[in-house]
Amino acid sequence: MPIRQLDIQGVRNLAPLDITPSPLVNFIYGDNGSGKTSVLEAIHLLAAGKSFRSTQVRQVLSHERDRCEIRLRFQRDDETPERELYHLRLKNGDHLFRLDESLLSAQSQVAALLPVQVIEPNTFRLLSGTPEDRRQFLDWGVFHVEPAFIEEWRMFRQTLKQRNSALKQDQGDWLDVWNSGFIESAARIDQFRKAYLTLLVAEFRKTLASLDDSLDVNLNYYPGWDRESDLASVLERQKDRDIQLGFTQSGPHRAELRITVNRVPAAEVLSRGQQKTVVSALKLAQGIVFKQQTGTAPIYLVDDLASELDARHRLALCQVLEDLKCQVFITSIEKNQLMDGWAPADFKVFHVEHGQLQEETLA
Ligand SMILES: Nc1ncnc2c1ncn2[C@@H]1O[C@H](COP(=O)(O)OP(=O)(O)OP(=O)(O)O)[C@@H](O)[C@H]1O
Ligand SMILES: [Mg+2]
């Protein structure tokens, strides 16, 4: 799924740039504050519709411009023609996404075309963050390998909203109307997630072993309600409390992926470097499953590769990326932290200085 050409304007401190990346490995290095993360952020803004560092997308726009524009040409694989994706965002929040000449109505259409995975210094937060963070991680995978999932999830959210509104208005009788749809939809979502997780767990174990064979980490899926009971009886049991609270306590919106070491949450026992390794293994495993299911790999954005990882773990991570034959953009402060011990088959090196990105010619 390589990006063939990338054109960025009006993002943070970056001077307008137009590059032809390698379809495999792209190294970006430069001093602190030079603009490395901003390059990855621009790709992510188009592909995922948000920044991975600021909650306010507005912050990504250059202080000196009233708009940012990101345009790229990508190719699903060698057999398919190149297509163009374009994103325009104004300071006032207005924005649009375009595929070739057609406007796209939803960002999820871009996400489906250009799947990206991010590994960055705050990546370990997947372990220490909220259940929702891990649910979103899980659903990224389900969304990309099961086309029916997004529509099912949309319908479920709608039913949940109606059920919650009936609860808030204390209309207990109406609950039965919503319950059957809620339960059926919950069962389908649960099936999608379980089927995906079976694939993910197998790849996660292999990937983690290749990054660090001393770590023994378990993934446990919790559907969002007491596993010993069926959802109908859980809803019945919780009905009075649901009415008191004004929302539905149990259901797939409360699903959770528990990540543990000896039954203790991984975030509470693992070192920062070990946490980064585990989360990297999870994200790499998602890419591997994605490739098995779709025939093409997602694009990896690896920001500040060296943070928290020693040379051995860095090399192991790069090796998995190389084996996946995906396009990857990796940043680092020092050039030798990237090249040290790793010589991928096809790569380009870019240097960033004060927002100016230059491709280096390789000797
Ligand atoms: N909206 C903005 N407009 C202009 N410049 C900005 C904006 N937001 C941040 N900057 C500046 O852009 C520069 C690039 O930041 P970026 O995080 O991309 O650097 P980096 O190369 O990743 O640095 P580090 O090695 O410290 O991670 C910084 O100097 C930052 O102060
Ligand atoms: Mg950075």
Side-chain angles (χ1 to χ4, degrees):
M1 182 86 54
I3 294 172
R4 297 288 183 188
Q5 198 176 2
L6 174 64
D7 176 353
I8 301 172
Q9 300 197 32
V11 169
R12 301 225 188 237
N13 73 329
L14 293 175
L17 65 86
D18 188 354
I19 57 168
T20 308
S22 156
L24 291 170
V25 181
N26 296 280
F27 291 135
I28 302 170
Y29 78 99
D31 292 343
N32 288 141
S34 57
K36 305 176 295 293
T37 302
S38 306
V39 178
L40 306 196
E41 207 177 13
I43 299 172
H44 194 263
L45 183 59
L46 170 60
K50 56 186 181 198
S51 163
F52 55 81
R53 98 169 125 183
S54 312
T55 41
Q56 286 186 317
V57 178
R58 205 157 46 91
Q59 301 304 337
V60 180
L61 271 69
S62 159
H63 297 317
E64 280 138 38
R65 303 271 304 256
D66 67 341
R67 64 183 56 202
C68 75
E69 290 174 87
I70 302 145
R71 186 189 312 270
L72 58 82
R73 298 192 66 76
F74 74 103
Q75 207 175 9
R76 195 180 175 282
D77 49 49
D78 289 342
E79 273 78 59
T80 46
E82 278 184 26
R83 306 196 76 178
E84 183 179 278
L85 276 168
Y86 171 75
H87 177 45
L88 167 68
R89 184 172 283 272
L90 305 182
K91 272 244 152 89
N92 68 10
D94 289 348
H95 60 274
L96 62 84
F97 292 93
R98 213 165 55 201
L99 172 65
D100 298 325
E101 299 305 312
S102 318
L103 274 183
L104 298 175
S105 56
Q107 198 285 326
S108 59
Q109 294 173 287
V110 185
L113 289 163
L114 200 71
V116 291
Q117 283 281 355
V118 184
I119 297 175
E120 50 105 25
N122 290 317
T123 277
F124 68 91
R125 288 206 194 126
L126 185 64
L127 301 183
S128 58
T130 61
E132 190 179 356
D133 294 334
R134 289 182 289 280
R135 193 161 57 242
Q136 277 177 7
F137 163 80
L138 175 64
D139 286 348
W140 183 97
V142 191
F143 167 75
H144 281 290
V145 304
E146 177 48 76
F149 178 73
I150 192 157
E151 183 55 21
E152 191 63 61
W153 181 244
R154 204 187 56 73
M155 270 165 37
F156 170 76
R157 298 287 312 176
Q158 190 66 24
T159 316
L160 176 67
K161 214 164 118 193
Q162 285 158 334
R163 190 176 193 276
N164 284 347
S165 146
L167 286 168
K168 280 198 185 75
Q169 292 163 36
D170 196 1
Q171 295 170 330
D173 298 345
W174 272 101
L175 288 182
D176 295 339
V177 177
W178 304 120
N179 275 1
S180 61
F182 185 93
I183 291 164
E184 281 166 28
S185 192
R188 284 190 292 266
I189 290 168
D190 184 43
Q191 275 312 317
F192 287 147
R193 285 178 172 156
K194 278 204 281 228
Y196 175 70
L197 211 71
T198 308
L199 303 172
L200 184 73
V201 168
E203 289 311 321
F204 169 69
R205 291 199 174 290
K206 282 189 248 169
T207 310
L208 185 62
S210 60
L211 296 187
D212 188 328
D213 60 8
S214 70
L215 293 172
D216 188 9
V217 176
N218 283 304
L219 303 183
N220 278 304
Y221 167 69
Y222 166 76
W225 63 91
D226 174 7
R227 263 190 293 215
E228 306 306 318
S229 319
D230 63 286
L231 183 55
S233 27
V234 171
L235 292 179
E236 189 51 42
R237 209 162 57 226
Q238 294 180 337
K239 186 171 167 182
D240 292 343
R241 183 81 180 127
D242 277 0
I243 291 174
Q244 253 177 18
L245 293 169
F247 66 85
T248 309
Q249 299 169 79
S250 293
H253 57 300
R254 287 297 185 87
E256 153 80 302
L257 180 65
R258 291 180 180 154
I259 306 169
T260 56
V261 176
N262 290 329
R263 296 174 187 270
V264 181
E268 289 177 26
V269 282
L270 297 182
S271 76
R272 283 277 284 266
Q274 287 172 330
Q275 290 184 44
K276 183 162 175 178
T277 299
V278 170
V279 178
S280 301
L282 282 164
K283 297 195 167 195
L284 292 164
Q286 276 204 322
I288 296 168
V289 171
F290 181 89
K291 190 169 182 184
Q292 287 165 354
Q293 300 295 310
T294 66
T296 167
I299 294 166
Y300 276 84
L301 307 175
V302 183
D303 193 26
D304 208 352
L305 173 74
S307 96
E308 312 287 358
L309 294 183
D310 57 33
R312 182 169 65 89
H313 287 92
R314 286 202 293 273
L315 189 59
L317 189 146
C318 291
Q319 200 56 58
V320 177
L321 287 167
E322 189 177 354
D323 293 346
L324 190 55
K325 296 192 172 45
C326 57
Q327 186 175 44
V328 48
F329 294 82
I330 308 183
T331 76
S332 188
I333 294 163
E334 306 283 350
K335 191 171 168 183
N336 62 9
Q337 283 175 331
L338 296 168
M339 312 295 278
D340 193 16
W342 187 38
D346 186 332
F347 67 95
K348 284 192 176 184
V349 179
F350 299 90
H351 180 226
V352 203
E353 200 172 14
H354 304 305
Q356 303 274 350
L357 185 124
Q358 291 286 339
E359 184 179 342
E360 283 193 352
T361 41
L362 300 168

